[in-house]
Amino acid sequence: MAQVVHFGHQVWANYHKTAACNVKSRVELANVEQMNGRAHLKGVAETVLALLKEAKQYQIPVRPIGAGWSPSPINVVEDGWLVETLRLNRTFKLSAQNLHQDCDIAAEALLLVQAGATVDEVYESAEEIGRSLRTGGASNGQSFAGACATGTHGSVWQAGGIQDHVRAVQLVTPERILWIEPKQGVLSDDFIAQTGSEIIRSDRIFAAAQLHVGAMGFVTAMLIETDPIFMVQNIQKAVKIKREHIDWLCRGEFRKFSCEFGLDEEPYFQQLILNPFDPFDKKSLLRFLYKRPFDASIAPPLPGEMGAGYDALTLLGKAMAESDFFQAEILQLAMEQAYPNNRDVDDPPAIATWGHTTEEHSPIASLFNGSVTMDRRNLSEAFDLIIDSFRSGGGGTVVTLRFIRRAQGLLAPARWPDNVVIDFDGPNVESSHSGYKKVVEALDDAGIAFTRHWGKTNNLDERRVKRDYEQNFADWKWAQAQVMPDPADRRVFANDELVKLGLI
Ligand SMILES: Cc1cc2nc3c(=O)[nH]c(=O)nc-3n(C[C@H](O)[C@H](O)[C@H](O)COP(=O)(O)OP(=O)(O)OC[C@H]3O[C@@H](n4cnc5c(N)ncnc54)[C@H](O)[C@@H]3O)c2cc1C
């Protein structure tokens, strides 16, 4: 079982203070010591089942949350129970006898992760056993279930989203405790039975549960596949780029781009932050990470030498919002002041494990985050439209370019074989919102297909979600109905945003 603490009625706001709600009760779940991992998972799932049954009986909407880091209002619920999971944060190793006979993944690559373990905690557990995550987003304070819920991603161009690590999901509805795996089994029936779960082995239902947007039930645990531990070398600098470099990136010429500004080798990760008001006369902020073999004798450098912070951006972004007149200059100041431009090609190398590549984040001000994801081959055309849109009076955000492969999960925004994600980050003020809307309109007018991040400001509705995801949306709804056939079960997970998106 898990400990359940009701803190009662309160006003709750998400991390970025972009959404708030009056909750009937803020509820915290916490682990209680159990004999082993299976007993632990069973106890927690049974506690959640009882909570959801009660909620269904009294028609109280329930919203499970992780870190509350999503700026979109998917993590708020009016007059319901907001259930915090961050203290359900244990991870467990597996052994070969726990695996299904058809499983082709080695036991040492697998880690059982409770829903509320933060990405950072999962990195640490993986490193302790000589393993690593393949990719992740920035700052690593998200819960693993919450990060997977929205398809959190970074800029590893050969990987998709964080949900791509997931090989099985333990999901609780008001009526059932389920263990969802692909058709090819991963864990043995015996092991799963000891977690108190009913088995579903289906590729479609699993693909729906990998990226669930918080609308498929309450995730209590996940089984994830890790990579052998590795390190990365960081190059981070402010440089002027030219328009032709955007074309290189559009064509996937990452090595050529790296050779121009970083090392003459294929980067594992690459990211550009630029000033959309003046992208070529002002400096852009580049970051490359190159894969290196693990070497235990290398002491990790200070976090600032491996990662970028958002905080100064937030502060200066606020100043910028007050003053449209100097927008481009203040934006540039904010970018360069916030960025540790401290690792060039000739500097002593900064090398650390993948888990050391981002800094912890603390909220300083109300932020705006929006993004669009599209086929990387449309980058050049989209880039010109975006710059035109900013120059003709829109926006108050910086623009970041990140690159990822097609991500797993039916509702994964990264749906093209190779994707560029264009992020818009700035102060949470009207100019940021209106600038983002203008970009979205310009892309639509140009007929460029794109999707949006579930966890960021996105202005989506059901009509648009259906259009963006086509058959995958219908398949996701089918899978949700398999897991929760009774509409009353689905209603337990309703909030205004998920209803608007057509997901409940
Ligand atoms: C500082 C910062 C940096 C960020 N960097 C990136 C980045 O680099 N890349 C990127 O893609 N995104 C990024 N984001 C966005 C963030 O990764 C996502 O919004 C992520 O979903 C937040 O995780 P969370 O644990 O806070 O989830 P929450 O915001 O708490 O929840 C997200 C959704 O998941 C649901 N949920 C949470 N836990 C469960 C559960 N156990 N069962 C069922 N549903 C659940 C919630 O109800 C909600 O619908 C960043 C956000 C911040 C604040």
Side-chain angles (χ1 to χ4, degrees):
M1 59 175 277
Q3 200 186 359
V4 183
V5 184
H6 274 272
F7 290 99
H9 167 260
Q10 57 182 257
V11 176
W12 184 87
N14 66 11
Y15 183 83
H16 278 321
K17 309 230 176 302
T18 47
C21 56
N22 276 290
V23 293
K24 197 182 273 307
S25 183
R26 181 167 73 80
V27 183
E28 186 185 73
L29 299 181
N31 282 323
V32 174
E33 257 334 293
Q34 299 280 352
M35 265 162 25
N36 60 34
R38 278 151 280 180
H40 212 88
L41 260 52
K42 182 169 187 281
V44 170
E46 285 171 351
T47 305
V48 170
L49 182 70
L51 198 74
L52 296 177
K53 271 192 191 303
E54 191 184 340
K56 181 179 170 185
Q57 186 185 352
Y58 296 106
Q59 298 185 7
I60 300 168
V62 172
R63 186 87 324 254
I65 59 154
W69 272 26
S70 301
S72 75
I74 50 171
N75 51 15
V76 293
V77 63
E78 206 51 46
D79 207 21
W81 288 346
L82 190 89
V83 185
E84 294 181 340
T85 58
L86 287 182
R87 294 182 66 192
L88 300 176
N89 62 347
R90 289 193 61 185
T91 57
F92 307 93
K93 289 189 288 184
L94 286 124
S95 60
Q97 72 260 29
N98 303 143
L99 305 186
H100 189 274
Q101 62 203 23
D102 296 342
C103 177
D104 53 14
I105 307 166
E108 62 264 25
L110 294 169
L111 205 57
L112 255 182
V113 171
Q114 281 194 290
T118 63
V119 178
D120 208 30
E121 287 167 335
V122 176
Y123 274 122
E124 277 177 23
S125 298
E127 285 191 15
E128 276 168 21
I129 55 166
R131 308 292 302 181
S132 175
L133 293 179
R134 196 169 310 137
T135 188
S139 304
N140 293 344
Q142 306 91 335
S143 69
F144 215 86
C148 293
T150 64
T152 296
H153 63 86
S155 193
V156 175
W157 68 272
Q158 293 178 45
I162 200 159
Q163 73 279 8
D164 289 26
H165 296 96
V166 176
R167 294 289 161 265
V169 180
Q170 190 189 40
L171 195 71
V172 185
T173 75
E175 298 300 332
R176 306 155 85 186
I177 301 173
L178 299 169
W179 186 270
I180 302 173
E181 296 190 341
K183 193 157 169 267
Q184 182 178 349
V186 186
L187 292 188
S188 73
D189 292 6
D190 195 34
F191 184 96
I192 296 169
Q194 289 178 52
T195 67
S197 322
E198 208 184 301
I199 305 173
I200 295 186
R201 290 205 176 97
S202 151
D203 288 343
R204 237 194 315 174
I205 299 177
F206 173 68
Q210 263 181 312
L211 197 160
H212 48 86
V213 204
M216 255 190 101
F218 197 124
V219 175
T220 41
M222 287 148 293
L223 180 71
I224 64 163
E225 184 180 356
T226 58
D227 279 0
I229 191 165
F230 60 93
M231 297 183 110
V232 283
Q233 178 174 347
N234 183 40
I235 298 278
Q236 187 150 320
K237 59 203 279 195
V239 293
K240 282 191 185 172
I241 62 160
K242 299 193 185 115
R243 176 61 183 78
E244 68 185 282
H245 296 133
I246 300 296
D247 292 333
W248 295 5
L249 294 169
C250 178
R251 293 195 293 265
E253 293 171 354
F254 297 142
R255 178 161 186 163
K256 189 169 165 189
F257 185 76
S258 167
C259 189
E260 181 92 351
F261 298 108
L263 302 179
D264 183 9
E265 65 177 284
E266 199 129 83
Y268 184 64
F269 168 109
Q270 64 196 329
Q271 174 181 278
L272 266 96
I273 303 177
L274 48 88
N275 183 334
F277 296 101
D278 205 355
F280 306 121
D281 284 336
K282 296 213 160 27
K283 286 180 174 173
S284 296
L285 311 178
L286 303 193
R287 183 170 188 219
F288 298 102
L289 295 172
Y290 303 91
K291 220 168 175 181
R292 298 284 175 259
F294 179 69
D295 179 348
S297 69
I298 298 178
L302 293 172
E305 292 175 8
M306 287 303 291
Y310 282 75
D311 300 352
L313 251 187
T314 315
L315 284 176
L316 287 161
K318 274 207 136 183
M320 175 187 73
E322 312 280 300
S323 160
D324 279 348
F325 192 55
F326 290 120
Q327 211 162 33
E329 278 64 30
I330 296 175
L331 186 57
Q332 191 66 25
L333 182 68
M335 285 168 57
E336 292 193 32
Q337 293 235 335
Y339 204 69
N341 175 26
N342 56 3
R343 284 294 145 178
D344 207 342
V345 179
D346 301 325
D347 291 328
I351 299 178
T353 58
W354 182 239
H356 281 92
T357 55
T358 65
E359 276 187 280
E360 277 184 19
H361 189 272
S362 40
I364 294 178
S366 179
L367 269 182
F368 173 87
N369 308 96
S371 78
V372 291
T373 300
M374 65 185 69
D375 187 333
R376 195 199 62 222
R377 292 170 304 179
N378 290 327
L379 170 60
S380 289
E381 188 186 351
F383 186 85
D384 293 337
L385 286 172
I386 289 169
I387 301 310
D388 281 353
S389 174
F390 272 83
R391 283 184 172 154
S392 63
T397 60
V398 293
V399 165
T400 303
L401 304 184
R402 300 203 271 181
F403 300 88
I404 55 174
R405 281 262 155 87
R406 191 198 299 279
Q408 294 176 25
L410 292 173
L411 296 183
R415 351 184 24 210
W416 293 271
D418 288 289
N419 303 269
V420 59
V421 184
I422 309 178
D423 289 331
F424 304 85
D425 297 302
N428 188 23
V429 294
E430 180 45 34
S431 62
S432 300
H433 288 269
S434 61
Y436 180 67
K437 274 193 200 133
K438 273 184 78 174
V439 165
V440 162
E441 279 163 20
L443 293 173
D444 273 343
D445 289 348
I448 297 176
F450 64 96
T451 52
R452 292 170 243 185
H453 198 301
W454 296 105
K456 298 188 177 179
T457 298
N458 55 40
N459 310 319
L460 286 168
D461 58 21
E462 180 171 1
R463 189 190 54 80
R464 185 62 191 233
V465 171
K466 274 188 181 155
R467 184 178 131 186
D468 289 349
Y469 290 90
E470 303 164 318
Q471 186 58 37
N472 277 7
F473 176 75
D475 286 352
W476 190 90
K477 293 290 282 189
W478 171 86
Q480 184 195 43
Q482 303 307 301
V483 167
M484 291 187 284
D486 181 354
D489 290 356
R490 304 200 284 271
R491 275 198 300 275
V492 169
F493 297 99
N495 68 6
D496 290 350
E497 183 68 6
L498 291 173
V499 169
K500 180 161 80 79
L501 296 171
L503 297 179
I504 297 280

